[in-house]
Amino acid sequence: MLGFLKSNILSKFVVAITGIILVGFIIGHTLGNLLIFAGPEALNTYAIGLRDLGPTLWVVRIVLIIAAILHVITTINLVRQNKKIASGYKVSNYKASTFSARFMGYAGLTILFFVLYHLAHFTLGFVDASTFNMEATLENGRVVHDVYSMVVIGFRNVIVSLFYILAVSFLGLHLKHGIHSMFQSLGIHGKKFTPMIQKVAAIVALIIVISLISIPISIMLGIVGGQV
Amino acid sequence: MNLKLHIWRQKNNKAAGAFEQYAVSDISEDMSFLEMLDVLNEDLIVGGKDPVAFDHDCREGICGACSMTINGNPHGPEKATTACQLHMRKFNDGQEIYIEPFKNKSFPVIRDLVVDRSALDRIIESGGYISIKTGSAPDANDIAVPKAKSDVAMDAAACIGCGACVAACPNGAAMLFTSAKLKHLNVLPQGQAEKKKRTIAMVEQMDKEGFGSCTNHYECEAACPKSISVEFISEMNFEYAKARATAYRD
Amino acid sequence: MKLDAKIPEGPIQDKWTKHKFDIKLINPANKRKYKVIVVGTGLAGASASATLSELGYEVEAITFHDSSRRAHSIAAQGGINSAKNYPNDGDSVWRLFYDTVKGGDFRSREANVYRLAQVSVDIIDQATAQGVPFAREYGGNLANRSFGGAQVSRTFYARGQTGQQLLLGAYQALAKEVESGSVKLRTRKEMMDIIVVDGKARGVVTRDLVTGELETHLADSVVLATGGYGNVFYLSTNAQACNVTATYRAYKKGALFANPCYTQIHPTCIPVSGDYQSKLTLMSESLRNDGRIWVPKAKGDKRKPREIPENERDYYLERKYPSFGNLSPRDISSRSAKEACDNGQGIGATGYGVYLDFKDAINRLGKDTIAERYGNLFEMYERITGDNPYETPMMIYPASHYTMGGLWVDYNLMSNLEGLHVIGEANFSDHGANRLGASALMQGLADGYFVLPYTIGNYLATADLKKIDADTPECKATVKEVEDKVNKLINVNGTKTPSYFHRKLGKLMWDNVGMARNEAGLKHALEEIPKIREEFWKDVKISGTGAEYNISLEKASRVADFLEFAEVMAYDALDRDESAGAHFREEHQTPDGEAKRNDDEYRYVAAWEYKGVGQRPELHKEELDFENVKLAVRSYK
């Protein structure tokens, strides 16, 4: 099944397609997270709504996990090969390459560690079991997992927040290069289209970074979650 | 002008190489970069030292022989210019210049700045041609080729095979070279019969040579003396995947 | 020695067809038993290697480049002629034949030229089928343009890179045969000498440029496709590696060198800017369509061009040749520039340059139109000189560009040395005393794709070839000769670089055996060349050894041969006491400064036989008969 790893181009296809899935997830996830600004009721309702999807949620989760794994092992394999063949120069001097393009690998690895931590923190509850087991009562009387409080308490920890901000910034750089690269890798290129998609990628990345970073900052400044 | 040069010296493929420092003086700004090296070499020979070996031939930017990395840029800092057409007026008096061979594991160093680029020829040999035997061609105007297609073929065919794209790529990929040749032949009606076979063969030979993969830095396009577009890489990606996906039909 | 050109009988139109029928064929199954060595992988060499391999012969292709795509054919810009008559403007095989003979100033062999015009049609078909992206009309058909003063549009072109695209076509055809296994391609190997056994060319000795190893390559026939000798002038538009060694070595082994004095000078090159200059870059002649050529009237006028008022400028071509003016033919335009500079009116740092001014054209047509026509050329000029031709006039000067002379061959492209075939610029056969624009590519490919592959079969089928191997005494002796030459070069251990001698020789040749020659100058050259050669063998300095990648050794070995060859060239120029085409003897000109031929005495091919270093070579004449075209005097007044 991993035969595509032998081909550079097919590997790039896999990276691009899994990239699309992951970008889709990030956009959805960001939109969901922004509900924190609408208060505990909105966020907790959204969270339980996802849980209620049941098997569908698991399908989505499995697709995401597979996409992430393929994305990671394929890129690691490509980077390893590339490092072997290109040894670099005494003086580095770039004409076209951007920082985000050269930073893809480091950013990717940081994001990977962050995602594992993030899952452990907010999905699996390994980091702080006490906040993970908090409950809230919705307006309709249903008692649910209090995601809102968990997030707020989590982000009051300065170190957690700083790590989050750093990782999200790297994610932005990763997306800036990644979103336009997906199109190039899949063969979608045009004299007008490519510069346009490069701009779009940068804007989307920036919006995602600002949106996500606004959450811990708002919490630390006490703008959000004061009542918890 | 006076310059301080740091040049990669390596006796042969087996020897270890190192930078050596040379001071050159009274360099005219009308000299080409290679003429500046000629002047250095004349001095070295008279002094009983080995001159710096570098590949070069036409010195008018078309043969693709010259190949050196100047301060980190293959062919030097000028856009769309080979090292032989780069002139010293682009440098400043007293500047330090690092001169290295085109670096890539698939381009082994032969001596000093001379590297073996035969991997690129092997990519062409694997399928970079239209199989027409001499004498069997139909009248040239039997095949009408829309001007737009012919122009694109020419854009791609302008590649001089110097390998700067490979040398500039942070990943050591040969995708600009390979994709340009594929585009040249694949866009023409004459090239259709072998299109799929050619695409698969050349891409796989490229992988076999050990070249890296594209991560869209576009350094290749920026280093290319003929400004060949990375658009061709994108298209090669698609055409290769398509060829592989439909190979079962053949 | 009786020179037999082996021209087939019959009317000129039928000679080639009849000859193809008459020559002996080799059974397809037997062809693989014959091996051919092709030296050089430019247009002629690559096309010949590929075609011979397709026919079934075993081929060994040898090049001193790192790849078979680098030969200097690649630098040809303008185009390739063909008698396709697609524009329907009255072109025909006969007209191309006539124009070529006339352009060569009636010093070429009619039968060869006619065949060239015939197969020119097939070349375009072949190249197009290979995917050469010739320029096209919107309807999808091939475009043509008029070139070099031709009255019909018969030139096919691929932007300004026609030579590159045709070479890539041939290179790809060769790559296909390398892949199939029937061509063994040897790169970075320089032919050092030719192996002759029983009077037949049977192989070559090469030096591996990476390891220095001397190797013996044996075959049933040897093909030289090693280009011209324009670098005898040191500065020329040729590539750095172009040299005379392969053809000169064959000459020393008995092949005759024909018409070495016919060297073409191109009028529009970027002038020399200093002693360090390594080459001259050609600017397309099309620039002369809109540029006006002038020099200051006053000698030694060092003012900036824009500060020189109109009435102090000498538009010498317009003055001397009012009807053709700036579009006068290459040789006239070149000589006029030299005259002006010799007269002290030259411009630029060295005084060897003339202005090519676009100011009037820009005023008349607008900058945009000029940019559209010549934008890329202006850019190239600015890159090299740092001057902007939109603001200040270009500086140009003539430079050596192409050599019509070469090894003597018969109609089958075989030298008098049996088994040695010579194709492309390396032979002398088709251009006479001057070559038309866009005809070099045509001849290289005609020889390689369509002529040699037939005629070599006849030789192989009829030759009596004994079995030889690397231990055959002649092979060992040749390797020894090469080894001795390499050692001799290294052991001189003098004080001056090979380039020093090359520059010195080049200047002598340019001044005395260049675009205008006279008896005194030629005799002076014949006195001086041996002196430079003597100094070379006493004082040349080469670093390193013969057993490594050694660029100073490579260079010295080539310069050593130029130093001998230059004498043959000067002898030929002295012997040809007439002006013909590119060979201009100042003693023989019309009152208007036109070349004046002497058909009664010099209507022959001068083929020179080697008699020893420093000895006058022996002249053999091949009389030229003109049965189909009438000898005429050209006039461009």
Side-chain angles (χ1 to χ4, degrees):
Chain A
M1 182 192 135
L2 294 177
F4 66 85
L5 286 174
K6 287 197 197 111
S7 160
N8 281 328
I9 289 180
L10 296 186
S11 293
K12 280 151 47 84
F13 255 74
V14 169
V15 175
I17 292 166
T18 53
I20 291 174
I21 296 170
L22 295 171
V23 169
F25 164 75
I26 287 166
I27 292 172
H29 186 59
T30 305
L31 291 173
N33 286 1
L34 287 177
L35 287 173
I36 199 162
F37 291 104
E41 178 70 17
L43 187 66
N44 289 338
T45 308
Y46 161 71
I48 196 68
L50 285 180
R51 286 270 163 106
D52 288 347
L53 289 174
T56 317
L57 177 66
W58 275 105
V59 170
V60 172
R61 278 177 167 171
I62 288 166
V63 167
L64 283 173
I65 289 168
I66 291 175
I69 290 172
L70 284 176
H71 195 79
V72 171
I73 59 170
T74 311
T75 46
I76 287 177
N77 183 51
L78 287 176
V79 168
R80 246 188 38 217
Q81 283 175 8
N82 293 345
K83 287 264 186 279
K84 248 192 277 174
I85 189 122
S87 46
Y89 293 100
K90 174 88 180 168
V91 191
S92 297
N93 214 339
Y94 297 103
K95 286 180 175 173
S97 167
T98 55
F99 174 75
S100 58
R102 294 195 297 281
F103 201 60
M104 283 303 270
Y106 299 107
L109 279 180
T110 312
I111 296 163
L112 174 65
F113 284 117
F114 168 73
V115 166
L116 294 176
Y117 173 80
H118 197 64
L119 288 173
H121 188 184
F122 291 138
T123 310
L124 302 171
F126 291 168
V127 177
D128 185 350
S130 61
T131 56
F132 191 71
N133 293 328
M134 285 165 67
E135 284 178 347
T137 309
L138 296 180
E139 279 168 14
N140 61 12
R142 189 169 165 195
V143 176
V144 296
H145 175 209
D146 188 0
V147 172
Y148 184 86
S149 300
M150 175 180 77
V151 170
V152 169
I153 294 167
F155 279 138
R156 278 186 185 152
N157 182 329
V158 179
I159 294 167
V160 169
S161 283
L162 286 181
F163 181 41
Y164 180 89
I165 291 168
L166 182 81
V168 165
S169 308
F170 282 13
L171 175 69
L173 287 170
H174 200 79
L175 290 178
K176 174 177 172 282
H177 185 70
I179 291 177
H180 115 262
S181 281
M182 297 182 311
F183 292 94
Q184 170 78 4
S185 294
L186 293 174
I188 306 165
H189 187 113
K191 290 201 165 42
K192 282 187 186 148
F193 175 80
T194 301
M196 186 271 287
I197 201 70
Q198 278 172 326
K199 271 185 213 126
V200 168
I203 293 167
V204 168
L206 192 67
I207 292 173
I208 287 175
V209 170
I210 292 172
S211 308
L212 290 177
I213 286 181
S214 67
I215 299 170
I217 289 180
S218 306
I219 290 171
M220 282 192 293
L221 294 176
I223 299 168
V224 166
Q227 69 274 37
V228 175
Chain B
M1 56 170 75
N2 302 320
L3 300 163
K4 202 197 244 177
L5 307 177
H6 301 266
I7 305 178
W8 183 260
R9 302 304 306 264
Q10 185 172 338
K11 195 115 177 125
N12 55 50
N13 186 242
K14 307 222 163 45
F19 281 99
E20 279 196 37
Q21 203 177 310
Y22 302 92
V24 288
S25 46
D26 297 328
I27 295 300
S28 157
E29 62 167 27
D30 289 327
M31 280 183 190
S32 72
F33 197 81
L34 302 191
E35 284 166 349
M36 183 272 292
L37 290 178
D38 289 342
V39 169
L40 170 68
N41 277 346
E42 294 282 282
D43 289 347
L44 289 174
I45 294 171
V46 170
K49 296 196 182 91
D50 287 336
V52 179
F54 58 90
D55 263 325
H56 64 107
D57 198 23
C58 76
R59 298 212 176 182
E60 50 186 282
I62 190 77
C63 76
C66 61
S67 47
M68 56 186 74
T69 299
I70 302 163
N71 281 342
N73 292 130
H75 290 307
E78 274 292 282
K79 186 173 177 278
T81 303
T82 52
C84 66
Q85 294 244 293
L86 175 66
H87 280 68
M88 296 313 293
R89 67 182 72 88
K90 305 290 177 189
F91 296 87
N92 305 319
D93 188 28
Q95 195 174 339
E96 276 192 65
I97 305 175
Y98 282 83
I99 309 171
E100 298 174 69
F102 274 7
K103 273 194 179 172
N104 186 287
K105 281 277 152 50
S106 297
F107 288 176
V109 173
I110 289 175
R111 177 161 198 166
D112 300 337
L113 307 174
V114 179
V115 297
D116 178 357
R117 287 168 284 182
S118 54
L120 299 183
D121 289 315
R122 288 192 291 274
I123 293 176
I124 300 295
E125 283 159 18
S126 73
Y129 42 76
I130 290 168
S131 300
I132 176 91
K133 285 193 174 180
T134 304
S136 56
D139 185 273
N141 264 351
D142 280 357
I143 324 157
V145 181
K147 188 174 184 308
K149 278 197 175 178
S150 173
D151 285 348
V152 172
M154 183 62 226
D155 288 342
C159 167
I160 59 174
C162 64
C165 48
V166 179
C169 179
N171 304 330
M175 289 199 169
L176 191 63
F177 171 83
T178 310
S179 67
K181 182 47 67 186
L182 278 171
K183 179 71 186 185
H184 163 207
L185 299 174
N186 284 354
V187 74
L188 292 170
Q190 302 94 300
Q192 293 313 303
E194 293 168 291
K195 180 174 173 181
K196 201 187 277 184
K197 181 168 161 277
R198 173 186 307 120
T199 307
I200 292 177
M202 288 179 72
V203 167
E204 294 187 349
Q205 184 64 32
M206 175 180 84
D207 285 351
K208 213 165 105 190
E209 295 291 343
F211 289 113
S213 58
C214 179
T215 55
N216 313 316
H217 290 279
Y218 304 157
E219 278 295 308
C220 51
E221 182 182 276
C224 177
K226 299 292 158 192
S227 299
I228 288 176
S229 169
V230 291
E231 187 175 347
F232 300 146
I233 297 182
S234 185
E235 222 176 298
M236 172 174 74
N237 293 339
F238 180 74
E239 290 296 340
Y240 175 72
K242 193 172 108 185
R244 281 285 296 265
T246 57
Y248 68 91
R249 283 193 222 151
D250 302 318
Chain C
M1 192 187 302
K2 169 91 179 69
L3 285 180
D4 180 5
K6 303 209 176 83
I7 298 167
E9 296 297 317
I12 197 160
Q13 301 92 314
D14 303 333
K15 283 179 194 289
W16 179 231
T17 316
K18 181 173 174 302
H19 188 61
K20 279 197 285 187
F21 177 73
D22 287 342
I23 55 184
K24 288 228 155 39
L25 298 177
I26 299 173
N27 178 313
N30 282 339
K31 284 203 178 91
R32 65 188 160 80
K33 295 179 187 156
Y34 291 93
K35 183 179 166 190
V36 179
I37 287 174
V38 181
V39 186
T41 54
L43 276 185
S47 57
S49 300
T51 306
L52 287 169
S53 169
E54 285 169 4
L55 286 171
Y57 296 107
E58 188 189 340
V59 177
E60 189 168 1
I62 299 172
T63 171
F64 58 33
H65 284 112
D66 68 316
S67 160
S68 51
R69 65 181 292 158
R70 310 255 187 248
H72 202 54
S73 314
I74 208 159
Q77 299 169 356
I80 177 167
N81 287 333
S82 170
K84 276 285 191 190
N85 193 28
Y86 283 153
N88 195 28
D89 57 358
D91 198 13
S92 61
V93 167
W94 192 274
R95 189 177 292 280
L96 177 56
F97 156 66
Y98 178 80
D99 287 353
T100 306
V101 172
K102 181 178 170 223
D105 222 1
F106 306 96
R107 290 294 174 266
S108 48
R109 204 187 272 152
E110 274 191 345
N112 284 51
V113 178
Y114 193 87
R115 176 178 63 189
L116 174 68
Q118 279 177 305
V119 302
S120 72
V121 173
D122 303 325
I123 296 170
I124 301 304
D125 297 341
Q126 180 64 25
T128 303
Q130 285 170 344
V132 170
F134 285 125
R136 288 184 183 261
E137 314 280 1
Y138 282 100
N141 285 342
L142 292 163
N144 288 100
R145 65 181 171 201
S146 152
F147 197 80
Q151 286 168 305
V152 289
S153 292
R154 62 160 76 101
T155 304
F156 293 78
Y157 59 101
R159 295 207 185 130
Q161 292 129 278
T162 318
Q164 181 202 23
Q165 293 310 314
L166 288 169
L167 182 61
L168 290 182
Y171 157 77
Q172 285 162 205
L174 180 59
K176 161 175 73 73
E177 295 304 306
V178 170
E179 178 76 355
S180 81
S182 58
V183 173
K184 297 275 177 300
L185 179 64
R186 314 275 184 224
T187 57
R188 292 197 194 267
K189 290 189 197 294
E190 177 158 21
M191 176 190 144
M192 301 297 282
D193 212 336
I194 193 154
I195 295 170
V196 179
V197 182
D198 295 342
K200 296 186 178 77
R202 293 298 302 275
V204 295
V205 174
T206 59
R207 181 174 177 274
D208 185 306
L209 297 181
V210 176
T211 62
E213 203 178 325
L214 300 181
E215 294 156 346
T216 310
H217 307 264
L218 300 174
D220 299 303
S221 176
V222 175
V223 179
L224 294 188
T226 54
Y229 48 85
N231 272 347
V232 71
F233 295 109
Y234 183 70
L235 287 179
S236 78
T237 65
N238 282 8
Q240 298 294 295
C242 294
N243 69 77
V244 77
T245 292
T247 45
Y248 188 72
R249 292 275 140 185
Y251 161 77
K252 284 181 97 167
K253 284 277 158 81
L256 301 182
F257 213 110
N259 300 335
C261 78
Y262 293 153
T263 57
Q264 190 179 65
I265 308 293
H266 197 284
T268 51
C269 302
I270 299 176
V272 178
S273 63
D275 289 338
Y276 51 78
Q277 189 107 8
S278 60
K279 89 156 275 158
L280 296 170
T281 304
L282 187 146
M283 302 294 292
S284 168
E285 249 179 309
S286 62
L287 290 168
R288 292 202 281 149
N289 290 331
D290 286 307
R292 294 180 72 194
I293 295 173
W294 64 274
V295 290
K297 278 185 179 161
K299 292 181 185 181
D301 191 336
K302 288 289 168 204
R303 283 177 292 175
K304 287 199 175 115
R306 290 281 175 257
E307 289 165 7
I308 298 175
E310 199 65 24
N311 61 359
E312 290 177 41
R313 299 176 178 191
D314 181 8
Y315 294 89
Y316 58 85
L317 282 177
E318 296 172 19
R319 174 171 58 79
K320 292 199 284 188
Y321 305 96
S323 61
F324 273 77
N326 296 301
L327 288 170
S328 298
R330 285 181 176 181
D331 48 337
I332 289 175
S333 170
S334 299
R335 279 198 301 277
S336 301
K338 180 180 180 329
E339 261 167 45
C341 295
D342 288 348
N343 193 35
Q345 295 167 279
I347 49 97
T350 59
Y352 287 98
V354 299
Y355 289 124
L356 177 61
D357 201 335
F358 290 88
K359 192 177 171 196
D360 291 343
I362 290 171
N363 289 343
R364 192 177 69 243
L365 302 164
K367 195 178 162 184
D368 291 345
T369 309
I370 294 298
E372 201 178 290
R373 288 186 191 167
Y374 310 112
N376 55 346
L377 291 168
F378 279 24
E379 235 170 68
M380 175 164 101
Y381 181 85
E382 189 171 2
R383 199 179 302 143
I384 294 171
T385 63
D387 286 340
N388 176 355
Y390 295 105
E391 307 290 331
T392 182
M394 278 186 178
M395 293 192 280
I396 56 162
Y397 200 64
S400 159
H401 177 54
Y402 184 88
T403 55
M404 282 72 69
L407 290 180
W408 184 87
V409 288
D410 62 16
Y411 189 74
N412 294 316
L413 302 181
M414 187 162 87
S415 153
N416 61 302
L417 176 60
E418 266 187 72
L420 179 71
H421 294 80
V422 191
I423 57 176
E425 193 181 353
N427 73 23
F428 88 105
S429 72
D430 296 354
H431 304 299
N434 210 351
R435 178 177 65 75
L436 292 180
S439 280
L441 300 177
M442 172 174 71
Q443 185 229 336
L445 290 179
D447 288 359
Y449 283 131
F450 296 107
V451 180
L452 177 87
Y454 287 106
T455 59
I456 203 170
N458 187 49
Y459 170 74
L460 294 170
T462 53
D464 177 24
L465 299 164
K466 75 169 189 187
K467 212 171 149 44
I468 55 170
D469 59 32
D471 291 328
T472 306
E474 288 90 338
C475 301
K476 285 170 106 172
T478 311
V479 173
K480 182 78 174 44
E481 277 171 50
V482 174
E483 207 178 325
D484 290 347
K485 184 190 174 193
V486 168
N487 290 336
K488 195 176 158 197
L489 281 167
I490 286 175
N491 290 334
V492 177
N493 202 15
T495 61
K496 297 194 175 79
T497 64
S499 298
Y500 165 85
F501 295 99
H502 195 182
R503 262 195 294 272
K504 199 165 170 181
L505 174 72
K507 175 142 184 22
L508 178 75
M509 295 302 282
W510 180 248
D511 290 344
N512 297 286
V513 200
M515 61 182 129
R517 299 142 178 190
N518 58 51
E519 189 180 339
L522 292 167
K523 286 188 168 156
H524 174 70
L526 283 169
E527 272 169 34
E528 292 301 313
I529 297 165
K531 289 184 197 161
I532 304 175
R533 189 165 62 225
E534 210 172 300
E535 192 194 350
F536 173 87
W537 284 107
K538 272 191 195 133
D539 203 18
V540 73
K541 170 87 183 170
I542 292 161
S543 8
T545 69
E548 61 181 321
Y549 192 101
N550 190 332
I551 57 172
S552 58
L553 175 63
E554 274 172 42
K555 175 86 188 172
S557 165
R558 293 167 192 166
V559 172
D561 288 330
F562 273 129
L563 284 167
E564 293 180 17
F565 168 76
E567 245 178 318
V568 189
M569 206 172 135
Y571 275 119
D572 187 41
L574 182 61
D575 177 79
R576 187 164 289 279
D577 196 12
E578 64 159 352
S579 293
H583 170 63
F584 189 77
R585 283 285 296 265
E586 287 165 353
E587 301 93 325
H588 303 287
Q589 48 181 312
T590 64
D592 317 323
E594 285 271 11
K596 202 167 138 194
R597 290 196 322 265
N598 178 349
D599 291 331
D600 292 339
E601 288 181 71
Y602 291 97
R603 206 184 58 208
Y604 60 75
V605 174
W608 298 88
E609 184 185 356
Y610 178 71
K611 288 288 169 190
V613 179
Q615 303 295 312
R616 188 180 198 279
E618 188 184 339
L619 174 64
H620 301 275
K621 296 177 184 174
E622 180 200 334
E623 297 293 337
L624 293 168
D625 297 321
F626 292 92
E627 292 165 355
N628 299 281
V629 296
K630 226 174 89 204
L631 277 74
V633 178
R634 60 170 202 171
S635 173
Y636 291 95
K637 270 275 161 176

